[in-house]
Amino acid sequence: MKMPFMQAVRERVLVLDGAMGTMLQERGLKAGQSPEEMNLTAPEVVAGVHRAYVEAGADIIVTNTFGGTKAKLDHYGLGDQVARINAEAVRIAREVAGENAYVAGSIGPTGRFVEPVGDMGFDEAHALFTEQARALIDAGCDAISLETFLDIKEIRAALIAIRELSADIPVIAMLTFEEKGRSVLGSPPEAAAITLEAAGASIIGSNCGLGVDGIYDILCAMRKVTSLPLISQANAGLPILKDGVTVFPGTPDEMTAYHDRMIGLGVRVIGGCCGTTPAHIAAIKDALSGKQVAFTAKEDDGTTWISSRGSFAAIGKKHPVALIGERINPTGKKLYSQELREGKVSYIRREALEQTELGATLLDVNVGAPGIDEPAAMERAVFCISGAVQTPLVLDSSSPEALEAGLKSADGKVLINSVNGEEKSLAAVLPLARKYGAALVCLTLDDAGIPAEAEGRVAVAQKIAERAAAAGIKRSDLVVDCLTLTVSAEPKGALVALEAVRRVSELGLNSTLGVSNISFGLPCRPLISSTFFSMVMAAGLTSAIVNVKETPMMAAWRSAMVLLGKDVNAAGYIDAYRGQAVGATVQPATAAGTVGTVQAEAAQPEGVRGRLAKAVINGELESVVPLVEEALAEGLSPMQISSEALLVGLDEVGRRFGNGSFFLPQVMVSADTMKAAFARLKQELSGGGLASIGKILMATVEGDIHDIGKNIVVTLLENNGFEVIDLGKNVPAAKILDAARTHQVDAVGLSALMTTTMARMDEVVTLLKSEGVKSFTMVGGAVVTQQYADEIGADLYAKDGMEAVARIKELLAK
């Protein structure tokens, strides 16, 4: 009898099987046919693929259910067969595996992005993954394998759904990364690892997209922030076209070149993705012979890791004191309170940008104003901030409903502010933190109120820690707020807080304080607050809720980081105050080099043109139409507004995307802002819209039902002044030819996500040329490369939407 799956992972490195789609294609899978349907119509073929991998030495075989969600099966008219198809897939694999291998139930992405980047809500994604996971678990798989996800938010929804069904089933969670070291939506490996571990993954890593060398680099980055076992499931190199057939050049020997380093890194599962065959798996198995070592988890150093889609932050003794920006809070802010009641987000976006630029490590988000729908307001705020900056979030609310809305809306692992020692609070907040994988600010008060002495506050902290542990929340995910009472009313308030912070630090817990509370009611408040801030950092404080716009507070922080040895060689301090004369009054400075810092923009036009450009850059959807109205009132023509303002802003977005300071979610927010501006301008033009700079036909090729990438390119082309004819997905070559002729397009753009459908691009390009169509051809997609584009004779290749726009402009200009 096989030992439990995770026990096997700890004792030896397991070999996972290779590609399924290409193997099925070799055995009769037709173009445009659902691979999962073969579980019902040709189970012996699916079993044959599994058997080949088991005979090659695979310890884990993965079910033929990668596209087994209702969202995917609906494309083939099989949406009502989710339970049957997934259960049958497990049965087939189980019969082949016997006692020789484990069976992992495969779950892939739905083909849609989750809001606000896409149109799929968290609850819809959660329901889709719940349905498939339940079928796989009920059928008796040994583990779940989440594969080839592009969107950290989508795979997070899948993990949360699985963990609601089973707290025990092992879950492998893999994101796909690009050559730049980020996912297509901008997630670095560290942020992905933090988010996946928090959401309940048992093993994390990466598959597809990269060869074994690229995967190794990704896993090295993940190891810095997680102690979980890792998985490597690399492609057999990048695909090329040979004699009209798509092949992967990676040899079995090349797939094993990194084994020693992988094992040393803590990789416990090694398999193959696109292009790998039983021969590759046999080579991997042979290479592991005699190299088996037991897994030793990295010791938890007590760091509280927080993540967003595109960034991550640390709270802990080994790290600089984390700054939690306090400004997104309606208390005492009439403008923000009014905007909350009106459902607007301009204040939130502005504060997120400014606080990030000034050095905030995290952003506290509070929308608790009277007379508003707090859950809806929290969702809007989280969507707004995640589209504007990469800074991780602290969700600040006493409403469990608002917290849950924010937790569903978030892209990564957030910090909840807060739970306290009251039974009502513990019962409401701990389950939310556990379900959604959040860390917790723990207020040191309970049903008896705030203890007057440090000893009482520490006792409350210990109580919360014990209850959190019982709920399955790690000790390192607790950040204790020892509470700052105003010194004007409580003369011992500062001393008690200082002692409580010292005691909490001795217990190995992280801490935070709302520092400025100490000076309430006193003149020259920043003087008292900054002095107290320096004292409490020396006492062991690991994070602080502060106003990063207050120069004395930031000066105290920068100075303390140097004196406490957390600013190596005083590099941050020197960057902030470089060029200021000795004895000069300290001037405000931005946080040069801070993760998530807003990048300096290129020079923009002045006046309303400049404000329009900035609105596009920052994605100011609410303000862009009023600015268009203002520009029209000043006498600017629609074409002037477009070319001298809006497109200038979009060019800056492209520049930032190119230098890595902007990512796809921010690009899409800017695109939505452009769309709103163009919609208003079109009203000024009789009989049509703005002049098109070119007509582009877009399609996902036949057999491929994935259109996320193509849809992004369509949006960006339209917002850059192109007229786009979008034929959708799974489009036959003949239909593309007919549409290209009918619409007399300047270019035809083709997309493919799967290696099994890449060859269709060649067919389309060849057909267009043979029929004398003069349109340029452009190809792109996750598996497509420049070499492949050259081999099939496409006129250009683009690796992402922004590059597609730039290259089409360049080609048409010639």
Side-chain angles (χ1 to χ4, degrees), residues 327-329 336 339-340 344-355 363 365-367 377-378 380-386 388-389 622:
R327 295 277 303 165
I328 305 176
N329 187 315
Y336 180 27
E339 285 196 0
L340 285 172
K344 296 179 179 179
V345 292
S346 295
Y347 175 90
I348 295 172
R349 181 182 295 105
R350 183 170 62 253
E351 284 296 335
L353 288 164
E354 291 178 0
Q355 289 185 98
L363 295 175
V365 187
N366 187 311
V367 295
M378 182 65 83
R380 281 194 301 273
V382 172
F383 283 172
C384 169
I385 296 168
S386 62
V389 296
E622 292 169 357

Side-chain angles (χ1 to χ4, degrees), residues 13 172-178 181-182 188-194 196 203-208 210-234 258-271 295 298:
V13 179
I172 301 168
M174 293 178 284
L175 210 65
T176 295
F177 294 87
E178 298 184 311
R182 288 181 179 257
E190 297 92 338
I194 292 164
L196 295 175
I203 302 169
I204 63 174
S206 180
N207 78 302
C208 202
L210 299 170
V212 65
D213 52 343
I215 295 283
Y216 174 74
D217 291 340
I218 296 297
L219 298 183
C220 283
M222 288 185 167
R223 176 53 72 215
K224 296 174 184 176
V225 298
T226 183
S227 59
L228 289 181
L230 301 174
I231 177 171
S232 167
Q233 194 177 351
Y258 280 70
H259 273 18
D260 289 342
R261 280 171 282 183
M262 291 282 193
I263 294 170
L265 196 60
V267 173
R268 306 305 292 171
V269 181
I270 299 177
F295 176 68
K298 187 180 82 169

Side-chain angles (χ1 to χ4, degrees), residues 13-16 56 211-216 232-237 249-264 267 269-273 276-289 291:
V13 179
L14 301 183
V15 177
L16 185 136
V212 65
D213 52 343
I215 295 283
Y216 174 74
S232 167
Q233 194 177 351
N235 286 344
T251 67
D253 287 343
E254 290 170 347
M255 293 288 290
T256 65
Y258 280 70
H259 273 18
D260 289 342
R261 280 171 282 183
M262 291 282 193
I263 294 170
V267 173
V269 181
I270 299 177
C273 202
T276 52
T277 65
H280 292 86
I281 300 308
I284 290 172
K285 184 75 170 182
D286 289 344
L288 289 171
S289 178
K291 296 182 179 180

